Structure formats: C-alpha cells, structure tokens
Amino acid sequence: TESHIPDYVPDDVKKDLEELGLDGIEDLDELEEKNMEGYNELGLVPPEGTGTFASPILIPSRKHDRVVGYCDPTTHAMYWFTIHNDENTYYIKDLGLFLQDASHS
C-alpha cells in the first residue's frame, strides 16, 4: 500500500509529519518501532540519596509535561499525576519523596 495522509488529519499534524520526513501515517509505525528502545516501561529506580527537597528525583521528559505513577507502599494502589516542565518540585506525601522535571536540574 502507498503511504498517504488522510484529509481529516489536522494541519499541525501534517506539518509535523512533513518535518519528520514522513510521507504518510503508515510511516509512523516504522518510526515508532525504531524508537521503542527510548521508552522505558520498567520504571525508574532513583539514585541513592535522591528524593529530598535539595536533591529531588529527576524525571526525564522530552515534552512539556509527563505523567508519573507510583505504587502506594501500604495499599499497593497505583496513583498517577502530571509533572510539568517547569521549576516546580513535586512532593509525594505517601512516599516522602520529592520529584522534579530533569530539564530543570
């Protein structure tokens, strides 16, 4: 099948595809397969001594925000929240740890 960009695709997405050098939506699958090693679903094990306000756990992100999750040590429930690419430090009361977007370290 020949690659194409459907008419319903928003103009900003079409522009992004062009900037990536992609001829169509189908090319995204191939690009995604090549870049899957950049996605880590195993979780983050922070370096020893981090998690304090002075030395927060740094969360890597290539975007303006990132969804972060943690497992409550008592209930084992998963909680999710968004950290933003800003200078804020986020405190997780259940864990007693501080987090920050890595681009502001």
Side-chain angles (χ1 to χ4, degrees):
T1 60
E2 193 173 300
S3 293
H4 73 287
I5 300 175
D7 292 335
Y8 61 82
V9 173
D11 289 338
D12 58 334
V13 174
K14 289 178 184 177
K15 182 180 177 189
D16 289 344
L17 290 170
E18 288 174 16
E19 288 177 4
L20 290 170
L22 303 176
D23 296 323
I25 297 294
E26 300 82 4
D27 296 333
L28 284 174
D29 289 335
E30 184 179 333
L31 184 63
E32 185 178 87
E33 285 179 23
K34 288 180 183 176
N35 289 301
M36 280 305 288
E37 64 190 49
Y39 177 73
N40 180 355
E41 61 185 31
L42 299 176
L44 173 72
V45 178
E48 188 74 29
T50 61
T52 65
F53 184 77
S55 181
I57 297 168
L58 300 177
I59 306 297
S61 180
R62 295 181 188 158
K63 300 191 179 242
H64 296 293
D65 54 38
R66 179 164 184 168
V67 175
V68 176
Y70 69 94
C71 180
D72 182 286
T74 305
T75 65
H76 302 287
M78 287 298 297
Y79 293 98
W80 300 93
F81 62 98
T82 302
I83 65 169
H84 300 276
N85 185 352
D86 56 21
E87 295 181 18
N88 289 320
T89 300
Y90 298 82
Y91 180 67
I92 310 301
K93 185 176 180 180
D94 295 336
L95 303 177
L97 297 172
F98 290 88
L99 308 173
Q100 188 178 53
D101 181 276
S103 62
H104 288 283
S105 58

